Amino acid sequence: MTNQALVLPWQDLHDFAKRVFVRVGMPEQDAVTEADALAWANLRGVDSHGVVRIPWYVENVQNGIINPTPDIQITIETPAIALIEADRAFGPVVTNQAADLAVEKARGVGVGWILIRNHTHQGTMGQYVERIANHDMAGLIFVCGRPNTAPFGARAAGVSNNPVGISAPAGRHPHLILDMATSLVALGKVLMARERGESIPVGWGLDENGNPAIDPRALATLLPVGGPKGSGMSLLFECMASIMVSNPLLLPVLSGEVGEVKTTGHVGRMARHNQNTVVAAIDVSRFTDVEEYKAQVDRLIDELKELPKAEGFEEILMPGEREELCYAERFEAGIPVPTATIAGLRKVANDLNVEFIRGVA
Amino acid sequence: MTNQALVLPWQDLHDFAKRVFVRVGMPEQDAVTEADALAWANLRGVDSHGVVRIPWYVENVQNGIINPTPDIQITIETPAIALIEADRAFGPVVTNQAADLAVEKARGVGVGWILIRNHTHQGTMGQYVERIANHDMAGLIFVCGRPNTAPFGARAAGVSNNPVGISAPAGRHPHLILDMATSLVALGKVLMARERGESIPVGWGLDENGNPAIDPRALATLLPVGGPKGSGMSLLFECMASIMVSNPLLLPVLSGEVGEVKTTGHVGRMARHNQNTVVAAIDVSRFTDVEEYKAQVDRLIDELKELPKAEGFEEILMPGEREELCYAERFEAGIPVPTATIAGLRKVANDLNVEFIRGVA
């Protein structure tokens, strides 16, 4: 495998993604939503959550794990909270709805706290909290999945590596968009190392025997950030999302109640893919003047960027800033897609008899 | 300095703390609340947030930074949120009220999201989220302070090392109580190393020149956990708490608008001490059956503790478990208080003409 890549316009990748998702049965509007999510990730340089995931999505629609035509229902609701049953929907389809509902409730009572039950992969967390920040609100999201991370003190998976997003609206500057995971590195980074044929550093994860994994293909278990901190956040998130909505994701695997399903194109051994999420919005205007708020955020960013740099740093970057710079560049210049990824997408196009990416031979 | 310690009954430390706080002007009930907070920390082994802080609290009441008789007011309120103006109250005095208000609102609409503006040091975060968990709710708290932590990429302080607490109610087991900071280690651990005359590992923090600090007395700046993760959480917390309540704590120091006040008994150079907090409660009963929820949490804890141990670990501990075990022991056997701490407390007793700890010569 090499690091070679084709550079392609984002629109062409988006159009291809949409064709694939329509072909596997999604309503056109939902297919656009899913394609938007992948393009957003690729444009911002989060290639692990971009078009590289398409073969895995298709496989999971075909094996019944992702539902392309879900019956999404609000099952519990107050002026401040809601529980949305996602019926195994594609993550972005239901999570955009949930983020919008959080915004609506925050507009009413100051905060909206929405739980989503039983959905599938969402892509980047940043897209949802940016959506909330665009309404002049602070956003918070965290998602729970199957065990893939060793709790502090263990040498096998017991918690998840929950992606987390937090946002605050800025004025002159791009919104602050933190997008992280409770593992030291996100699973997607392991996937990309695999895709690129690179090795991974000690500390990222463990192999099946609980020893350090250097080959990304041998990685069976991630390690938490900050030991008990990442590990503890993950456990508490499971309690605040999955157990709260009666859809536990850690316990059934740990207790052996459900078996594990191996899927290709993903990292390590994975149980049946399923997720639960908390997404929240807090309305700035309920607490203070919005323009003054954004001006304060801008000035804080300015001052932080002026601090003396640590060795090896030319610039102090804000959360989301690197991705924002990448977006500006790739929006014009196109998205580099590794040849291994292209091969996977071509196979999808052939298998589904879908027109391939425009301009790619 | 040595590691010698006197072992004292928690009640005697509590009584002494209460006498001190009454003497500096707190109403008796508030003095008990503050003494409770210190005893709770010492009992759970979080000595950095126990009676060792008393001299610093007294100094800050005397110099006008902590207000022993605050006019605490709810200034903004909906069924789901509130903003509490703390008038520089002792942290526990206003934060217990805020936690109770979060619980009350969560009982009404499922979530309570309370902001506290302009308070002072709270002690451990664990006590507040345990208070919420005791009501069969999940709890969340994070607090913002002055810059004391280097943002990722910087060699000087720009963000804070926000203590964070998250809880979930359990049944047979103690509640899950995560108590962490966005720095690699809490400031209190540096303070304790100083108190014990120990050195600190590379990676905890930097000296005034931005180089690694080995001597805890030289530590000027903490380092964030997980680089951009801890750093990013801290920045976003400032946006969700301090800027949201129009009481920014980072910007005024970074821009030079406020000077720095040196205080003794604390670590490094500190600006005028001031804090803002978010505390939230989510009512389990709104989403699912409470007994079933707790049973699921219990079973998850059981399974996690059965995982194969990492090298050097005899047990896999849950968030808060070590502290819970310590509590059981110290409640009966007493609290070891280093002689250096005793000396500091004796000086307070002498200065204020307050009866010293019972039984200590």
Side-chain angles (χ1 to χ4, degrees):
Chain A
M1 230 178 285
T2 74
N3 287 324
Q4 287 183 330
L6 290 184
V7 178
L8 300 169
W10 74 267
Q11 298 96 327
D12 294 348
L13 291 170
H14 184 279
D15 289 351
F16 173 68
K18 181 188 154 193
R19 286 196 292 278
V20 169
F21 293 125
V22 167
R23 180 62 54 98
V24 298
M26 291 179 86
E28 179 158 338
Q29 188 49 51
D30 290 354
V32 169
T33 297
E34 185 62 37
D36 286 348
L38 301 183
W40 195 89
N42 278 130
L43 280 167
R44 291 173 65 94
V46 192
D47 293 323
S48 57
H49 290 66
V51 293
V52 70
R53 297 270 184 170
I54 289 177
W56 182 74
Y57 287 135
V58 169
E59 180 187 340
N60 279 285
V61 171
Q62 289 171 339
N63 66 19
I65 286 174
I66 302 180
N67 183 355
T69 56
D71 179 22
I72 297 172
Q73 297 283 348
I74 298 175
T75 57
I76 294 171
E77 194 169 18
T78 78
I81 60 115
L83 169 54
I84 300 177
E85 165 59 48
D87 193 23
R88 294 176 288 115
F90 270 90
V93 171
V94 67
T95 313
N96 279 349
Q97 288 182 33
D100 292 347
L101 186 58
V103 165
E104 184 187 318
K105 291 187 180 293
R107 197 71 76 200
V109 293
V111 64
W113 186 272
I114 313 299
L115 277 74
I116 317 173
R117 179 182 192 280
N118 188 26
H119 63 82
T120 64
H121 193 255
Q122 288 162 315
T124 66
M125 294 297 100
Q127 63 186 317
Y128 307 111
V129 289
E130 186 192 52
R131 192 177 179 98
I132 293 170
N134 285 337
H135 291 273
D136 294 338
M137 298 192 183
L140 169 68
I141 188 170
F142 55 84
V143 55
C144 296
R146 298 289 186 192
N148 62 5
T149 301
F152 183 63
R155 58 192 289 141
V159 293
S160 185
N161 74 322
N162 321 70
V164 176
I166 313 179
S167 68
R172 280 182 285 115
H173 290 289
H175 301 323
L176 291 171
I177 307 285
L178 179 67
D179 193 328
M180 55 172 266
T182 55
S183 51
L184 186 62
V185 296
L187 203 54
K189 289 203 179 165
V190 180
L191 182 61
M192 289 312 293
R194 209 169 136 173
E195 190 88 2
R196 294 190 184 118
E198 297 169 356
S199 66
I200 57 175
V202 172
W204 282 26
L206 307 174
D207 65 21
E208 284 202 319
N209 302 314
N211 298 316
I214 308 299
D215 180 345
R217 290 168 299 181
L219 186 140
T221 307
L222 293 165
L223 287 169
V225 63
K229 299 188 182 197
S231 173
M233 283 195 282
S234 183
L235 173 56
L236 268 302
F237 290 168
E238 173 77 356
C239 296
M240 293 176 88
S242 301
I243 300 181
M244 195 75 87
V245 301
S246 309
N247 187 30
L249 297 175
L250 300 180
L251 179 59
V253 175
L254 295 175
S255 66
E257 283 165 41
V258 301
E260 293 190 75
V261 176
K262 287 198 190 194
T263 67
T264 58
H266 212 286
V267 176
R269 298 194 310 157
M270 298 289 290
R272 183 183 166 89
H273 175 75
N274 196 236
Q275 299 188 319
N276 306 296
T277 287
V278 169
V279 56
I282 298 99
D283 185 8
V284 172
S285 72
R286 182 66 70 162
F287 291 97
T288 190
D289 179 78
V290 170
E291 293 314 312
E292 175 60 22
Y293 181 94
K294 291 178 173 182
Q296 287 280 336
V297 172
D298 283 342
R299 289 184 58 207
L300 178 54
I301 293 170
D302 291 338
E303 292 290 344
L304 288 172
K305 293 185 74 69
E306 289 302 314
L307 284 171
K309 277 67 173 170
E311 216 169 290
F313 285 81
E314 286 181 11
E315 195 175 356
I316 296 168
L317 293 174
M318 295 299 107
E321 183 176 1
R322 187 189 303 280
E323 292 77 10
E324 195 67 32
L325 295 169
C326 185
Y327 184 97
E329 188 188 316
R330 289 190 173 184
F331 192 85
E332 299 299 334
I335 292 165
V337 185
T339 49
T341 305
I342 295 285
L345 298 180
R346 190 188 310 275
K347 183 169 186 313
V348 167
N350 290 341
D351 290 352
L352 297 178
N353 194 23
V354 162
E355 186 194 340
F356 197 42
I357 303 163
R358 185 166 51 187
V360 180
Chain B
M1 231 176 282
T2 73
N3 288 324
Q4 288 185 328
L6 290 183
V7 178
L8 301 169
W10 73 266
Q11 298 96 328
D12 294 347
L13 292 170
H14 184 279
D15 289 351
F16 173 68
K18 179 188 155 191
R19 286 195 292 276
V20 169
F21 292 125
V22 167
R23 180 60 54 95
V24 297
M26 291 179 86
E28 179 158 339
Q29 187 51 49
D30 289 354
V32 169
T33 297
E34 185 63 36
D36 286 348
L38 300 184
W40 195 90
N42 279 131
L43 281 167
R44 291 173 64 93
V46 192
D47 293 323
S48 56
H49 289 66
V51 293
V52 71
R53 298 270 184 168
I54 289 177
W56 182 75
Y57 288 135
V58 169
E59 179 186 341
N60 279 285
V61 171
Q62 288 170 342
N63 66 19
I65 286 173
I66 302 180
N67 183 355
T69 55
D71 180 21
I72 297 172
Q73 298 282 348
I74 297 175
T75 57
I76 293 171
E77 193 168 19
T78 77
I81 60 113
L83 170 54
I84 301 177
E85 165 59 48
D87 193 22
R88 293 175 289 115
F90 270 89
V93 170
V94 67
T95 312
N96 279 348
Q97 288 182 32
D100 292 347
L101 186 58
V103 165
E104 184 187 317
K105 291 188 181 293
R107 197 71 76 200
V109 293
V111 64
W113 186 271
I114 313 298
L115 277 74
I116 317 173
R117 180 183 192 279
N118 188 27
H119 64 81
T120 64
H121 192 257
Q122 288 161 314
T124 66
M125 294 297 101
Q127 62 186 316
Y128 307 112
V129 289
E130 186 192 52
R131 191 177 180 97
I132 293 169
N134 285 337
H135 291 273
D136 294 338
M137 298 191 182
L140 169 68
I141 187 169
F142 54 84
V143 54
C144 296
R146 297 290 186 191
N148 63 6
T149 302
F152 184 62
R155 57 192 291 141
V159 292
S160 185
N161 74 323
N162 321 70
V164 176
I166 314 179
S167 68
R172 280 181 285 114
H173 289 288
H175 301 323
L176 291 171
I177 307 285
L178 180 67
D179 193 330
M180 54 173 267
T182 55
S183 51
L184 186 62
V185 295
L187 202 55
K189 288 202 179 165
V190 180
L191 182 61
M192 288 313 294
R194 206 168 138 174
E195 190 87 2
R196 295 190 185 119
E198 297 168 357
S199 66
I200 56 175
V202 172
W204 282 25
L206 307 173
D207 65 21
E208 283 201 320
N209 302 315
N211 298 315
I214 308 297
D215 180 344
R217 289 167 300 181
L219 186 141
T221 306
L222 293 165
L223 286 169
V225 63
K229 299 187 182 200
S231 174
M233 283 195 283
S234 183
L235 173 56
L236 269 302
F237 289 168
E238 173 76 358
C239 296
M240 293 177 87
S242 302
I243 300 181
M244 194 75 87
V245 301
S246 309
N247 187 30
L249 297 175
L250 301 180
L251 180 60
V253 175
L254 295 175
S255 66
E257 283 165 42
V258 302
E260 295 190 73
V261 176
K262 288 198 190 195
T263 68
T264 58
H266 212 287
V267 176
R269 298 194 310 157
M270 297 291 290
R272 182 182 166 89
H273 175 75
N274 198 235
Q275 299 187 320
N276 306 296
T277 288
V278 169
V279 55
I282 298 99
D283 185 7
V284 172
S285 72
R286 182 66 70 163
F287 292 96
T288 189
D289 178 78
V290 171
E291 294 313 312
E292 175 60 22
Y293 180 95
K294 291 179 174 181
Q296 287 281 336
V297 172
D298 283 343
R299 288 184 59 207
L300 178 54
I301 292 170
D302 291 338
E303 292 290 345
L304 288 172
K305 293 185 74 68
E306 289 302 314
L307 284 172
K309 277 70 176 166
E311 215 169 291
F313 284 81
E314 287 182 10
E315 196 176 356
I316 297 168
L317 293 174
M318 296 298 107
E321 184 176 358
R322 187 189 303 280
E323 293 77 9
E324 194 68 31
L325 294 169
C326 185
Y327 185 98
E329 188 187 316
R330 289 190 173 183
F331 193 84
E332 298 298 334
I335 292 165
V337 185
T339 48
T341 305
I342 294 284
L345 299 180
R346 191 189 309 277
K347 181 167 187 313
V348 168
N350 290 341
D351 290 351
L352 297 179
N353 194 24
V354 162
E355 186 194 340
F356 197 42
I357 303 163
R358 185 166 51 185
V360 180

